[in-house]
Amino acid sequence: MPIAAPRPCTHPGCGVLVRDGSGRCAKHPKPQWSKPANATKRITGRKLQAMRADLFARDPLCAECKRQGRVTLATQRDHIKPLAEGGADTDDNVQGLCAPCHDAKSKTEAARGVRRAWGNYREG
């Protein structure tokens, strides 16, 4: 069976060729992913479905569209302060959003997460 051609290490700024297929050189191993010890437990199942139904019954319109003067039905239960940033899974931290507003907010939150992860990065 043929062996794949060596490729540069995927760590930013590293150009060492990697031959083992892992994508990283010995100097830059991939960090193991794990949740922080203080991560908020997500609610799932029937309890979550009941909370969604309650939210949409109380306020069926998208909160972001309402702020911008539009009228759109909410389809997503969204955490105002994301759980990944220390938000709680409580009624005062949730809002209803339409899919486009939820996607835009999620993209912004993901970008913040990447900046947090790489914020202290120093070549060395």
Side-chain angles (χ1 to χ4, degrees):
M1 179 170 257
I3 298 174
R7 296 180 183 259
C9 174
T10 58
H11 187 80
C14 182
V16 174
L17 292 178
V18 179
R19 292 173 169 77
D20 65 1
S22 69
R24 293 287 184 107
C25 67
K27 186 177 175 185
H28 303 114
K30 283 188 179 177
Q32 295 296 319
W33 186 88
S34 63
K35 284 186 179 181
N38 61 351
T40 304
K41 173 116 171 70
R42 290 188 172 267
I43 297 172
T44 59
R46 291 178 190 241
K47 184 175 181 182
L48 174 61
Q49 295 306 315
M51 291 169 79
R52 279 176 45 95
D54 182 49
L55 172 67
F56 296 146
R58 276 194 328 261
D59 193 6
L61 300 179
C62 171
E64 184 59 32
C65 287
K66 218 185 322 184
R67 282 190 280 274
Q68 295 179 11
R70 298 188 307 253
V71 177
T72 312
L73 282 177
T75 58
Q76 308 283 325
R77 180 179 182 265
D78 176 69
H79 293 94
I80 297 166
K81 181 176 182 183
L83 299 181
E85 296 177 6
D89 209 349
T90 57
D91 284 342
D92 60 331
N93 190 39
V94 293
Q95 63 184 350
L97 293 179
C98 63
C101 289
H102 185 264
D103 291 346
K105 183 171 182 279
S106 295
K107 190 174 182 179
T108 302
E109 290 167 357
R112 274 199 315 260
V114 168
R115 282 195 303 275
R116 265 195 316 274
W118 287 95
N120 296 325
Y121 172 73
R122 296 277 188 261
E123 183 64 40

PDB file of all heavy atoms in Angstrom, residues 40-77:
ATOM      1  N   THR A  40     -21.281  24.259  31.802  1.00  0.00           N
ATOM      2  CA  THR A  40     -22.701  24.138  32.131  1.00  0.00           C
ATOM      3  C   THR A  40     -23.275  22.906  31.451  1.00  0.00           C
ATOM      4  O   THR A  40     -23.053  22.679  30.270  1.00  0.00           O
ATOM      5  CB  THR A  40     -23.459  25.388  31.642  1.00  0.00           C
ATOM      6  OG1 THR A  40     -22.855  26.539  32.223  1.00  0.00           O
ATOM      7  CG2 THR A  40     -24.918  25.333  32.025  1.00  0.00           C
ATOM      8  N   LYS A  41     -24.028  22.104  32.198  1.00  0.00           N
ATOM      9  CA  LYS A  41     -24.669  20.910  31.640  1.00  0.00           C
ATOM     10  C   LYS A  41     -25.837  21.341  30.773  1.00  0.00           C
ATOM     11  O   LYS A  41     -26.672  22.127  31.175  1.00  0.00           O
ATOM     12  CB  LYS A  41     -25.155  20.012  32.779  1.00  0.00           C
ATOM     13  CG  LYS A  41     -25.986  18.842  32.314  1.00  0.00           C
ATOM     14  CD  LYS A  41     -25.321  17.537  32.623  1.00  0.00           C
ATOM     15  CE  LYS A  41     -26.227  16.356  32.353  1.00  0.00           C
ATOM     16  NZ  LYS A  41     -26.496  16.106  30.969  1.00  0.00           N
ATOM     17  N   ARG A  42     -25.885  20.833  29.565  1.00  0.00           N
ATOM     18  CA  ARG A  42     -26.969  21.161  28.647  1.00  0.00           C
ATOM     19  C   ARG A  42     -28.211  20.342  28.968  1.00  0.00           C
ATOM     20  O   ARG A  42     -28.116  19.173  29.326  1.00  0.00           O
ATOM     21  CB  ARG A  42     -26.560  20.890  27.202  1.00  0.00           C
ATOM     22  CG  ARG A  42     -25.519  21.865  26.729  1.00  0.00           C
ATOM     23  CD  ARG A  42     -25.284  21.707  25.242  1.00  0.00           C
ATOM     24  NE  ARG A  42     -24.424  22.754  24.769  1.00  0.00           N
ATOM     25  CZ  ARG A  42     -24.856  23.906  24.275  1.00  0.00           C
ATOM     26  NH1 ARG A  42     -26.130  24.146  24.179  1.00  0.00           N
ATOM     27  NH2 ARG A  42     -24.004  24.816  23.869  1.00  0.00           N
ATOM     28  N   ILE A  43     -29.371  20.977  28.800  1.00  0.00           N
ATOM     29  CA  ILE A  43     -30.645  20.307  28.991  1.00  0.00           C
ATOM     30  C   ILE A  43     -31.029  19.669  27.666  1.00  0.00           C
ATOM     31  O   ILE A  43     -30.888  20.278  26.606  1.00  0.00           O
ATOM     32  CB  ILE A  43     -31.725  21.309  29.455  1.00  0.00           C
ATOM     33  CG1 ILE A  43     -31.331  21.879  30.813  1.00  0.00           C
ATOM     34  CG2 ILE A  43     -33.089  20.641  29.513  1.00  0.00           C
ATOM     35  CD1 ILE A  43     -32.214  23.004  31.286  1.00  0.00           C
ATOM     36  N   THR A  44     -31.513  18.435  27.703  1.00  0.00           N
ATOM     37  CA  THR A  44     -31.878  17.717  26.488  1.00  0.00           C
ATOM     38  C   THR A  44     -33.222  17.013  26.681  1.00  0.00           C
ATOM     39  O   THR A  44     -33.798  17.037  27.758  1.00  0.00           O
ATOM     40  CB  THR A  44     -30.818  16.653  26.136  1.00  0.00           C
ATOM     41  OG1 THR A  44     -30.709  15.742  27.227  1.00  0.00           O
ATOM     42  CG2 THR A  44     -29.459  17.277  25.867  1.00  0.00           C
ATOM     43  N   GLY A  45     -33.692  16.403  25.613  1.00  0.00           N
ATOM     44  CA  GLY A  45     -34.864  15.536  25.676  1.00  0.00           C
ATOM     45  C   GLY A  45     -36.182  16.265  25.868  1.00  0.00           C
ATOM     46  O   GLY A  45     -36.375  17.397  25.416  1.00  0.00           O
ATOM     47  N   ARG A  46     -37.098  15.597  26.562  1.00  0.00           N
ATOM     48  CA  ARG A  46     -38.449  16.129  26.753  1.00  0.00           C
ATOM     49  C   ARG A  46     -38.470  17.431  27.537  1.00  0.00           C
ATOM     50  O   ARG A  46     -39.278  18.318  27.270  1.00  0.00           O
ATOM     51  CB  ARG A  46     -39.335  15.097  27.441  1.00  0.00           C
ATOM     52  CG  ARG A  46     -39.637  13.919  26.555  1.00  0.00           C
ATOM     53  CD  ARG A  46     -40.485  12.906  27.299  1.00  0.00           C
ATOM     54  NE  ARG A  46     -40.559  11.682  26.532  1.00  0.00           N
ATOM     55  CZ  ARG A  46     -41.689  11.176  26.078  1.00  0.00           C
ATOM     56  NH1 ARG A  46     -42.829  11.773  26.315  1.00  0.00           N
ATOM     57  NH2 ARG A  46     -41.678  10.068  25.392  1.00  0.00           N
ATOM     58  N   LYS A  47     -37.557  17.547  28.487  1.00  0.00           N
ATOM     59  CA  LYS A  47     -37.502  18.787  29.267  1.00  0.00           C
ATOM     60  C   LYS A  47     -37.159  19.974  28.358  1.00  0.00           C
ATOM     61  O   LYS A  47     -37.766  21.039  28.466  1.00  0.00           O
ATOM     62  CB  LYS A  47     -36.478  18.658  30.389  1.00  0.00           C
ATOM     63  CG  LYS A  47     -36.433  19.857  31.304  1.00  0.00           C
ATOM     64  CD  LYS A  47     -35.494  19.638  32.474  1.00  0.00           C
ATOM     65  CE  LYS A  47     -35.505  20.847  33.376  1.00  0.00           C
ATOM     66  NZ  LYS A  47     -34.577  20.707  34.496  1.00  0.00           N
ATOM     67  N   LEU A  48     -36.204  19.781  27.456  1.00  0.00           N
ATOM     68  CA  LEU A  48     -35.831  20.836  26.520  1.00  0.00           C
ATOM     69  C   LEU A  48     -37.006  21.159  25.594  1.00  0.00           C
ATOM     70  O   LEU A  48     -37.289  22.334  25.334  1.00  0.00           O
ATOM     71  CB  LEU A  48     -34.616  20.425  25.687  1.00  0.00           C
ATOM     72  CG  LEU A  48     -34.210  21.389  24.570  1.00  0.00           C
ATOM     73  CD1 LEU A  48     -33.831  22.754  25.150  1.00  0.00           C
ATOM     74  CD2 LEU A  48     -33.079  20.818  23.750  1.00  0.00           C
ATOM     75  N   GLN A  49     -37.692  20.145  25.093  1.00  0.00           N
ATOM     76  CA  GLN A  49     -38.827  20.380  24.199  1.00  0.00           C
ATOM     77  C   GLN A  49     -39.927  21.169  24.907  1.00  0.00           C
ATOM     78  O   GLN A  49     -40.545  22.062  24.320  1.00  0.00           O
ATOM     79  CB  GLN A  49     -39.367  19.058  23.657  1.00  0.00           C
ATOM     80  CG  GLN A  49     -38.384  18.325  22.757  1.00  0.00           C
ATOM     81  CD  GLN A  49     -37.885  19.180  21.607  1.00  0.00           C
ATOM     82  OE1 GLN A  49     -38.672  19.855  20.948  1.00  0.00           O
ATOM     83  NE2 GLN A  49     -36.584  19.181  21.377  1.00  0.00           N
ATOM     84  N   ALA A  50     -40.161  20.870  26.176  1.00  0.00           N
ATOM     85  CA  ALA A  50     -41.164  21.609  26.949  1.00  0.00           C
ATOM     86  C   ALA A  50     -40.727  23.063  27.142  1.00  0.00           C
ATOM     87  O   ALA A  50     -41.551  23.990  27.049  1.00  0.00           O
ATOM     88  CB  ALA A  50     -41.391  20.940  28.301  1.00  0.00           C
ATOM     89  N   MET A  51     -39.443  23.282  27.405  1.00  0.00           N
ATOM     90  CA  MET A  51     -38.928  24.640  27.582  1.00  0.00           C
ATOM     91  C   MET A  51     -39.026  25.437  26.272  1.00  0.00           C
ATOM     92  O   MET A  51     -39.368  26.613  26.283  1.00  0.00           O
ATOM     93  CB  MET A  51     -37.473  24.595  28.067  1.00  0.00           C
ATOM     94  CG  MET A  51     -37.335  24.067  29.478  1.00  0.00           C
ATOM     95  SD  MET A  51     -35.634  23.729  29.941  1.00  0.00           S
ATOM     96  CE  MET A  51     -35.054  25.368  30.297  1.00  0.00           C
ATOM     97  N   ARG A  52     -38.755  24.782  25.138  1.00  0.00           N
ATOM     98  CA  ARG A  52     -38.893  25.437  23.831  1.00  0.00           C
ATOM     99  C   ARG A  52     -40.345  25.831  23.580  1.00  0.00           C
ATOM    100  O   ARG A  52     -40.631  26.953  23.173  1.00  0.00           O
ATOM    101  CB  ARG A  52     -38.446  24.490  22.703  1.00  0.00           C
ATOM    102  CG  ARG A  52     -36.967  24.413  22.491  1.00  0.00           C
ATOM    103  CD  ARG A  52     -36.641  23.368  21.416  1.00  0.00           C
ATOM    104  NE  ARG A  52     -37.502  23.474  20.245  1.00  0.00           N
ATOM    105  CZ  ARG A  52     -37.192  24.142  19.136  1.00  0.00           C
ATOM    106  NH1 ARG A  52     -36.041  24.744  19.045  1.00  0.00           N
ATOM    107  NH2 ARG A  52     -38.030  24.194  18.127  1.00  0.00           N
ATOM    108  N   ALA A  53     -41.259  24.901  23.833  1.00  0.00           N
ATOM    109  CA  ALA A  53     -42.683  25.181  23.607  1.00  0.00           C
ATOM    110  C   ALA A  53     -43.147  26.340  24.490  1.00  0.00           C
ATOM    111  O   ALA A  53     -43.893  27.213  24.040  1.00  0.00           O
ATOM    112  CB  ALA A  53     -43.501  23.921  23.878  1.00  0.00           C
ATOM    113  N   ASP A  54     -42.698  26.356  25.743  1.00  0.00           N
ATOM    114  CA  ASP A  54     -43.055  27.428  26.668  1.00  0.00           C
ATOM    115  C   ASP A  54     -42.515  28.775  26.184  1.00  0.00           C
ATOM    116  O   ASP A  54     -43.216  29.787  26.202  1.00  0.00           O
ATOM    117  CB  ASP A  54     -42.531  27.101  28.068  1.00  0.00           C
ATOM    118  CG  ASP A  54     -42.911  28.156  29.083  1.00  0.00           C
ATOM    119  OD1 ASP A  54     -44.105  28.524  29.122  1.00  0.00           O
ATOM    120  OD2 ASP A  54     -42.019  28.617  29.830  1.00  0.00           O
ATOM    121  N   LEU A  55     -41.266  28.787  25.718  1.00  0.00           N
ATOM    122  CA  LEU A  55     -40.654  30.019  25.214  1.00  0.00           C
ATOM    123  C   LEU A  55     -41.425  30.555  24.015  1.00  0.00           C
ATOM    124  O   LEU A  55     -41.755  31.738  23.959  1.00  0.00           O
ATOM    125  CB  LEU A  55     -39.192  29.768  24.826  1.00  0.00           C
ATOM    126  CG  LEU A  55     -38.478  30.913  24.110  1.00  0.00           C
ATOM    127  CD1 LEU A  55     -38.304  32.109  25.043  1.00  0.00           C
ATOM    128  CD2 LEU A  55     -37.143  30.457  23.565  1.00  0.00           C
ATOM    129  N   PHE A  56     -41.726  29.694  23.058  1.00  0.00           N
ATOM    130  CA  PHE A  56     -42.423  30.134  21.850  1.00  0.00           C
ATOM    131  C   PHE A  56     -43.874  30.507  22.125  1.00  0.00           C
ATOM    132  O   PHE A  56     -44.443  31.336  21.416  1.00  0.00           O
ATOM    133  CB  PHE A  56     -42.328  29.082  20.754  1.00  0.00           C
ATOM    134  CG  PHE A  56     -40.920  28.828  20.283  1.00  0.00           C
ATOM    135  CD1 PHE A  56     -40.521  27.569  19.887  1.00  0.00           C
ATOM    136  CD2 PHE A  56     -39.972  29.842  20.252  1.00  0.00           C
ATOM    137  CE1 PHE A  56     -39.225  27.328  19.458  1.00  0.00           C
ATOM    138  CE2 PHE A  56     -38.677  29.610  19.826  1.00  0.00           C
ATOM    139  CZ  PHE A  56     -38.302  28.347  19.430  1.00  0.00           C
ATOM    140  N   ALA A  57     -44.477  29.931  23.162  1.00  0.00           N
ATOM    141  CA  ALA A  57     -45.844  30.325  23.539  1.00  0.00           C
ATOM    142  C   ALA A  57     -45.828  31.719  24.179  1.00  0.00           C
ATOM    143  O   ALA A  57     -46.727  32.524  23.938  1.00  0.00           O
ATOM    144  CB  ALA A  57     -46.432  29.299  24.499  1.00  0.00           C
ATOM    145  N   ARG A  58     -44.812  31.996  25.011  1.00  0.00           N
ATOM    146  CA  ARG A  58     -44.695  33.306  25.667  1.00  0.00           C
ATOM    147  C   ARG A  58     -44.365  34.403  24.666  1.00  0.00           C
ATOM    148  O   ARG A  58     -44.896  35.503  24.733  1.00  0.00           O
ATOM    149  CB  ARG A  58     -43.566  33.278  26.719  1.00  0.00           C
ATOM    150  CG  ARG A  58     -43.931  32.741  28.053  1.00  0.00           C
ATOM    151  CD  ARG A  58     -42.872  33.066  29.111  1.00  0.00           C
ATOM    152  NE  ARG A  58     -41.502  33.144  28.622  1.00  0.00           N
ATOM    153  CZ  ARG A  58     -40.606  32.160  28.728  1.00  0.00           C
ATOM    154  NH1 ARG A  58     -40.941  31.030  29.300  1.00  0.00           N
ATOM    155  NH2 ARG A  58     -39.394  32.324  28.273  1.00  0.00           N
ATOM    156  N   ASP A  59     -43.420  34.121  23.772  1.00  0.00           N
ATOM    157  CA  ASP A  59     -42.950  35.134  22.836  1.00  0.00           C
ATOM    158  C   ASP A  59     -42.632  34.458  21.499  1.00  0.00           C
ATOM    159  O   ASP A  59     -41.516  33.978  21.297  1.00  0.00           O
ATOM    160  CB  ASP A  59     -41.705  35.825  23.394  1.00  0.00           C
ATOM    161  CG  ASP A  59     -41.353  37.077  22.628  1.00  0.00           C
ATOM    162  OD1 ASP A  59     -42.120  37.479  21.741  1.00  0.00           O
ATOM    163  OD2 ASP A  59     -40.287  37.652  22.922  1.00  0.00           O
ATOM    164  N   PRO A  60     -43.594  34.412  20.582  1.00  0.00           N
ATOM    165  CA  PRO A  60     -43.392  33.672  19.331  1.00  0.00           C
ATOM    166  C   PRO A  60     -42.526  34.388  18.293  1.00  0.00           C
ATOM    167  O   PRO A  60     -42.182  33.792  17.284  1.00  0.00           O
ATOM    168  CB  PRO A  60     -44.817  33.484  18.807  1.00  0.00           C
ATOM    169  CG  PRO A  60     -45.574  34.627  19.372  1.00  0.00           C
ATOM    170  CD  PRO A  60     -44.948  34.927  20.712  1.00  0.00           C
ATOM    171  N   LEU A  61     -42.150  35.644  18.529  1.00  0.00           N
ATOM    172  CA  LEU A  61     -41.395  36.399  17.535  1.00  0.00           C
ATOM    173  C   LEU A  61     -39.898  36.389  17.815  1.00  0.00           C
ATOM    174  O   LEU A  61     -39.459  36.314  18.963  1.00  0.00           O
ATOM    175  CB  LEU A  61     -41.895  37.841  17.476  1.00  0.00           C
ATOM    176  CG  LEU A  61     -43.366  38.019  17.100  1.00  0.00           C
ATOM    177  CD1 LEU A  61     -43.728  39.496  17.103  1.00  0.00           C
ATOM    178  CD2 LEU A  61     -43.673  37.388  15.759  1.00  0.00           C
ATOM    179  N   CYS A  62     -39.127  36.517  16.757  1.00  0.00           N
ATOM    180  CA  CYS A  62     -37.670  36.576  16.852  1.00  0.00           C
ATOM    181  C   CYS A  62     -37.277  37.864  17.583  1.00  0.00           C
ATOM    182  O   CYS A  62     -37.687  38.958  17.196  1.00  0.00           O
ATOM    183  CB  CYS A  62     -37.058  36.551  15.453  1.00  0.00           C
ATOM    184  SG  CYS A  62     -35.289  36.880  15.403  1.00  0.00           S
ATOM    185  N   ALA A  63     -36.483  37.717  18.633  1.00  0.00           N
ATOM    186  CA  ALA A  63     -36.088  38.864  19.454  1.00  0.00           C
ATOM    187  C   ALA A  63     -35.225  39.855  18.659  1.00  0.00           C
ATOM    188  O   ALA A  63     -35.388  41.069  18.783  1.00  0.00           O
ATOM    189  CB  ALA A  63     -35.341  38.387  20.693  1.00  0.00           C
ATOM    190  N   GLU A  64     -34.300  39.366  17.845  1.00  0.00           N
ATOM    191  CA  GLU A  64     -33.418  40.243  17.077  1.00  0.00           C
ATOM    192  C   GLU A  64     -34.189  40.973  15.986  1.00  0.00           C
ATOM    193  O   GLU A  64     -34.003  42.175  15.779  1.00  0.00           O
ATOM    194  CB  GLU A  64     -32.257  39.445  16.462  1.00  0.00           C
ATOM    195  CG  GLU A  64     -31.237  40.287  15.735  1.00  0.00           C
ATOM    196  CD  GLU A  64     -30.569  41.334  16.612  1.00  0.00           C
ATOM    197  OE1 GLU A  64     -30.396  41.109  17.815  1.00  0.00           O
ATOM    198  OE2 GLU A  64     -30.227  42.408  16.068  1.00  0.00           O
ATOM    199  N   CYS A  65     -35.073  40.274  15.292  1.00  0.00           N
ATOM    200  CA  CYS A  65     -35.894  40.935  14.257  1.00  0.00           C
ATOM    201  C   CYS A  65     -36.784  42.001  14.887  1.00  0.00           C
ATOM    202  O   CYS A  65     -36.962  43.079  14.319  1.00  0.00           O
ATOM    203  CB  CYS A  65     -36.751  39.904  13.521  1.00  0.00           C
ATOM    204  SG  CYS A  65     -35.808  38.867  12.386  1.00  0.00           S
ATOM    205  N   LYS A  66     -37.320  41.710  16.065  1.00  0.00           N
ATOM    206  CA  LYS A  66     -38.169  42.672  16.771  1.00  0.00           C
ATOM    207  C   LYS A  66     -37.380  43.946  17.082  1.00  0.00           C
ATOM    208  O   LYS A  66     -37.881  45.053  16.922  1.00  0.00           O
ATOM    209  CB  LYS A  66     -38.691  42.053  18.073  1.00  0.00           C
ATOM    210  CG  LYS A  66     -40.108  42.428  18.379  1.00  0.00           C
ATOM    211  CD  LYS A  66     -40.642  41.941  19.708  1.00  0.00           C
ATOM    212  CE  LYS A  66     -40.227  40.587  20.160  1.00  0.00           C
ATOM    213  NZ  LYS A  66     -40.874  40.179  21.412  1.00  0.00           N
ATOM    214  N   ARG A  67     -36.108  43.799  17.513  1.00  0.00           N
ATOM    215  CA  ARG A  67     -35.257  44.961  17.803  1.00  0.00           C
ATOM    216  C   ARG A  67     -35.015  45.791  16.546  1.00  0.00           C
ATOM    217  O   ARG A  67     -34.815  46.994  16.629  1.00  0.00           O
ATOM    218  CB  ARG A  67     -33.921  44.507  18.391  1.00  0.00           C
ATOM    219  CG  ARG A  67     -33.990  44.118  19.852  1.00  0.00           C
ATOM    220  CD  ARG A  67     -32.610  43.920  20.443  1.00  0.00           C
ATOM    221  NE  ARG A  67     -32.032  42.635  20.117  1.00  0.00           N
ATOM    222  CZ  ARG A  67     -32.222  41.503  20.792  1.00  0.00           C
ATOM    223  NH1 ARG A  67     -33.007  41.503  21.854  1.00  0.00           N
ATOM    224  NH2 ARG A  67     -31.638  40.390  20.419  1.00  0.00           N
ATOM    225  N   GLN A  68     -35.033  45.149  15.387  1.00  0.00           N
ATOM    226  CA  GLN A  68     -34.779  45.854  14.128  1.00  0.00           C
ATOM    227  C   GLN A  68     -36.067  46.256  13.413  1.00  0.00           C
ATOM    228  O   GLN A  68     -36.018  46.704  12.269  1.00  0.00           O
ATOM    229  CB  GLN A  68     -33.919  44.978  13.217  1.00  0.00           C
ATOM    230  CG  GLN A  68     -32.541  44.728  13.781  1.00  0.00           C
ATOM    231  CD  GLN A  68     -31.699  43.849  12.881  1.00  0.00           C
ATOM    232  OE1 GLN A  68     -32.050  43.575  11.742  1.00  0.00           O
ATOM    233  NE2 GLN A  68     -30.574  43.395  13.410  1.00  0.00           N
ATOM    234  N   GLY A  69     -37.213  46.077  14.080  1.00  0.00           N
ATOM    235  CA  GLY A  69     -38.477  46.515  13.517  1.00  0.00           C
ATOM    236  C   GLY A  69     -39.111  45.555  12.523  1.00  0.00           C
ATOM    237  O   GLY A  69     -40.010  45.939  11.782  1.00  0.00           O
ATOM    238  N   ARG A  70     -38.643  44.311  12.502  1.00  0.00           N
ATOM    239  CA  ARG A  70     -39.218  43.301  11.612  1.00  0.00           C
ATOM    240  C   ARG A  70     -40.086  42.355  12.417  1.00  0.00           C
ATOM    241  O   ARG A  70     -39.926  42.217  13.631  1.00  0.00           O
ATOM    242  CB  ARG A  70     -38.113  42.517  10.899  1.00  0.00           C
ATOM    243  CG  ARG A  70     -37.238  43.374  10.009  1.00  0.00           C
ATOM    244  CD  ARG A  70     -36.286  42.524   9.179  1.00  0.00           C
ATOM    245  NE  ARG A  70     -35.499  41.590   9.972  1.00  0.00           N
ATOM    246  CZ  ARG A  70     -34.201  41.716  10.242  1.00  0.00           C
ATOM    247  NH1 ARG A  70     -33.547  42.762   9.798  1.00  0.00           N
ATOM    248  NH2 ARG A  70     -33.560  40.814  10.936  1.00  0.00           N
ATOM    249  N   VAL A  71     -40.979  41.650  11.737  1.00  0.00           N
ATOM    250  CA  VAL A  71     -41.838  40.660  12.387  1.00  0.00           C
ATOM    251  C   VAL A  71     -41.542  39.302  11.754  1.00  0.00           C
ATOM    252  O   VAL A  71     -41.853  39.075  10.583  1.00  0.00           O
ATOM    253  CB  VAL A  71     -43.338  41.007  12.227  1.00  0.00           C
ATOM    254  CG1 VAL A  71     -44.202  39.931  12.840  1.00  0.00           C
ATOM    255  CG2 VAL A  71     -43.632  42.358  12.843  1.00  0.00           C
ATOM    256  N   THR A  72     -40.896  38.418  12.524  1.00  0.00           N
ATOM    257  CA  THR A  72     -40.533  37.083  12.048  1.00  0.00           C
ATOM    258  C   THR A  72     -40.770  36.090  13.175  1.00  0.00           C
ATOM    259  O   THR A  72     -40.449  36.379  14.330  1.00  0.00           O
ATOM    260  CB  THR A  72     -39.034  37.033  11.647  1.00  0.00           C
ATOM    261  OG1 THR A  72     -38.731  38.141  10.812  1.00  0.00           O
ATOM    262  CG2 THR A  72     -38.693  35.753  10.938  1.00  0.00           C
ATOM    263  N   LEU A  73     -41.295  34.913  12.840  1.00  0.00           N
ATOM    264  CA  LEU A  73     -41.505  33.882  13.852  1.00  0.00           C
ATOM    265  C   LEU A  73     -40.166  33.306  14.309  1.00  0.00           C
ATOM    266  O   LEU A  73     -39.263  33.080  13.493  1.00  0.00           O
ATOM    267  CB  LEU A  73     -42.368  32.752  13.310  1.00  0.00           C
ATOM    268  CG  LEU A  73     -43.855  33.014  13.249  1.00  0.00           C
ATOM    269  CD1 LEU A  73     -44.574  31.817  12.627  1.00  0.00           C
ATOM    270  CD2 LEU A  73     -44.413  33.290  14.633  1.00  0.00           C
ATOM    271  N   ALA A  74     -40.066  33.058  15.597  1.00  0.00           N
ATOM    272  CA  ALA A  74     -38.865  32.435  16.156  1.00  0.00           C
ATOM    273  C   ALA A  74     -38.946  30.927  15.947  1.00  0.00           C
ATOM    274  O   ALA A  74     -40.005  30.326  16.109  1.00  0.00           O
ATOM    275  CB  ALA A  74     -38.755  32.748  17.645  1.00  0.00           C
ATOM    276  N   THR A  75     -37.826  30.334  15.576  1.00  0.00           N
ATOM    277  CA  THR A  75     -37.769  28.881  15.385  1.00  0.00           C
ATOM    278  C   THR A  75     -36.663  28.234  16.209  1.00  0.00           C
ATOM    279  O   THR A  75     -36.591  27.021  16.290  1.00  0.00           O
ATOM    280  CB  THR A  75     -37.522  28.542  13.898  1.00  0.00           C
ATOM    281  OG1 THR A  75     -36.303  29.157  13.485  1.00  0.00           O
ATOM    282  CG2 THR A  75     -38.669  29.010  13.030  1.00  0.00           C
ATOM    283  N   GLN A  76     -35.793  29.053  16.807  1.00  0.00           N
ATOM    284  CA  GLN A  76     -34.650  28.544  17.562  1.00  0.00           C
ATOM    285  C   GLN A  76     -34.663  29.088  18.982  1.00  0.00           C
ATOM    286  O   GLN A  76     -34.927  30.263  19.197  1.00  0.00           O
ATOM    287  CB  GLN A  76     -33.332  28.989  16.902  1.00  0.00           C
ATOM    288  CG  GLN A  76     -33.221  28.695  15.438  1.00  0.00           C
ATOM    289  CD  GLN A  76     -32.923  27.248  15.158  1.00  0.00           C
ATOM    290  OE1 GLN A  76     -32.193  26.605  15.911  1.00  0.00           O
ATOM    291  NE2 GLN A  76     -33.488  26.726  14.100  1.00  0.00           N
ATOM    292  N   ARG A  77     -34.359  28.222  19.941  1.00  0.00           N
ATOM    293  CA  ARG A  77     -34.184  28.645  21.336  1.00  0.00           C
ATOM    294  C   ARG A  77     -32.706  28.974  21.497  1.00  0.00           C
ATOM    295  O   ARG A  77     -31.848  28.118  21.306  1.00  0.00           O
ATOM    296  CB  ARG A  77     -34.595  27.515  22.276  1.00  0.00           C
ATOM    297  CG  ARG A  77     -34.442  27.849  23.737  1.00  0.00           C
ATOM    298  CD  ARG A  77     -34.910  26.654  24.584  1.00  0.00           C
ATOM    299  NE  ARG A  77     -34.835  26.939  25.984  1.00  0.00           N
ATOM    300  CZ  ARG A  77     -33.794  26.618  26.761  1.00  0.00           C
ATOM    301  NH1 ARG A  77     -32.760  25.989  26.252  1.00  0.00           N
ATOM    302  NH2 ARG A  77     -33.803  26.925  28.039  1.00  0.00           N
TER     303      ARG A  77
END
